[in-house]
Amino acid sequence: MPREVFAELPAPRRALEQCRLSPELEAELVRDGDAEVRRALAANPRLGAHSVAVLAEDPYDDIRSAVALRPDLSEEQRAAVRYDFDPTSMSRTLPWVEGLHGDADAMRRLAVSSHPLIRRSVARARRLPPDVVERLARDEDRTVRLFLAESCDDAPTEMLLEVWRWWDGSFTHPDRPRGHPNFPRTGLLRYVGDPGGRMRRLALDDPESTPADVAHLARDPEAEVRRRAAEDTRLSPADAVRLLNDPAAHVRDIAMRNPRLPARVLAGLLHDRDTACTAVTNPAIPVPVLHHILSAAAAAVAARR
């Protein structure tokens, strides 16, 4: 696009972001006094190498940060850019990295990138070469390890257990890392005495765990462990009743749904306005009783009209 055409544009932003500009116009714009112009140019995929180098030294952090994520930079060039990155900010997969997920050589190259967001984007691949998985599983950025646990079917067992110690699922990946195909299914009983409550929770997933283990963890000092015991169908009726008075509300709610609750206790919960909404979801309630509850509710609603 020559300067004459660019000058006639009523709204030039799209041209700044997408068009190949004439060399003289481009050289002028990358040094424009308006930061918004330079900001739009920073992500333009048709920008020349010299112009990219100029913007890589821009006084504005966000402009340099946009340049640092360009796909046309070598990793050496990327490492030389003084970009700004908040490791606690929400990360989105870079589209250009996602487009290379099936390219093993590209994944190897990008997995050692100096930029965490690029490594995080690599970790979102469903399948990765073994050496790339090994590298990312040891990444200093724990979000890289988290994304590997959530998205990559090749994530290793030990890393999944490490991630479980501090993460138990998001809205987008609620079953990871615990539901990952490589997450251990046996040998978990060894964690019954672990100092970390999150690891003690895993003990009841072990097929060799017993009702005695459930009873033991139902008295655990940490609420999240008692909650795991409260949902276990091996919980004794006496412990189910005791957990109805647990100091933690979410433990009490789970105990109300446990099918081992005695029928008389469950009936009392159904007749209590404060607990009925939760208790009615208990799977032990016979279908005829549910029909009766629905009929009674319909009658009550009709009587108010």
Side-chain angles (χ1 to χ4, degrees):
M1 177 179 288
R3 178 184 284 104
E4 311 83 71
V5 175
F6 180 82
E8 296 298 323
L9 296 176
R13 186 172 184 87
R14 186 175 177 186
L16 291 169
E17 293 176 338
Q18 299 179 11
C19 289
R20 186 185 303 279
L21 306 169
S22 65
E24 60 277 7
L25 175 60
E26 184 175 290
E28 178 184 316
L29 291 174
V30 294
R31 299 181 187 279
D32 194 287
D34 186 346
E36 284 302 316
V37 170
R38 306 196 309 277
R39 193 168 285 117
L41 282 171
N44 187 323
R46 297 175 173 84
L47 211 60
H50 178 72
S51 296
V52 171
V54 171
L55 292 176
E57 297 181 355
D58 196 275
Y60 281 78
D61 287 343
D62 63 328
I63 293 176
R64 297 195 310 274
S65 297
V67 171
L69 292 173
R70 290 180 62 93
D72 52 356
L73 262 60
S74 69
E75 288 309 313
E76 291 75 19
Q77 290 171 322
R78 199 183 315 281
V81 180
R82 293 181 298 108
Y83 60 82
D84 185 46
F85 179 72
D86 179 3
T88 64
S89 62
M90 181 176 292
S91 295
R92 299 189 183 277
T93 305
L94 295 170
W96 66 268
V97 177
E98 185 175 13
L100 294 170
H101 276 174
D103 185 333
D105 289 337
M107 294 296 96
R108 288 188 176 94
R109 183 177 72 254
L110 297 175
V112 296
S113 174
S114 60
H115 204 301
L117 189 52
I118 290 178
R119 302 197 308 276
R120 290 179 184 186
S121 298
V122 172
R124 282 298 191 191
R126 183 172 175 270
R127 306 308 301 258
L128 286 168
D131 55 317
V132 175
V133 172
E134 182 183 359
R135 167 68 182 80
L136 296 179
R138 295 181 286 104
D139 199 282
E140 62 184 6
D141 178 14
R142 78 175 192 171
T143 303
V144 170
R145 305 194 301 275
L146 169 62
F147 286 179
L148 195 68
E150 288 185 333
S151 302
C152 184
D153 288 350
D154 303 304
T157 296
E158 288 306 314
M159 189 212 70
L160 292 170
L161 282 170
E162 182 267 325
V163 171
W164 169 257
R165 287 185 179 274
W166 49 270
W167 189 263
D168 63 355
S170 62
F171 288 115
T172 53
H173 299 84
D175 64 331
R176 297 291 179 97
R178 191 176 174 189
H180 192 285
N182 292 340
F183 198 86
R185 303 289 183 262
T186 59
L188 298 173
L189 200 53
R190 70 183 186 272
Y191 296 118
V192 72
D194 193 274
R198 296 184 56 75
M199 302 308 288
R200 294 198 298 277
R201 279 173 59 183
L202 293 177
L204 297 184
D205 290 351
D206 194 305
E208 294 187 6
S209 63
T210 67
D213 296 315
V214 179
H216 171 70
L217 294 179
R219 291 165 173 76
D220 195 272
E222 293 195 28
E224 64 176 337
V225 182
R226 299 196 303 275
R227 181 187 184 281
R228 172 63 184 89
E231 69 184 14
D232 200 294
T233 56
R234 297 169 294 176
L235 188 70
S236 72
D239 279 336
V241 172
R242 183 178 57 79
L243 289 175
L244 291 176
N245 296 308
D246 193 273
H250 62 287
V251 175
R252 298 195 299 271
D253 286 349
I254 294 297
M256 285 184 216
R257 298 184 175 99
N258 195 296
R260 298 300 300 278
L261 274 178
R264 58 179 178 78
V265 175
L266 183 53
L269 295 171
L270 288 169
H271 283 90
D272 187 325
R273 187 182 296 272
D274 293 332
T275 57
C277 286
T278 301
V280 77
T281 62
N282 191 305
I285 300 174
V287 172
V289 174
L290 290 174
H291 287 163
H292 175 75
I293 292 172
L294 289 171
S295 297
V301 170
R304 292 176 185 171
R305 292 174 178 171

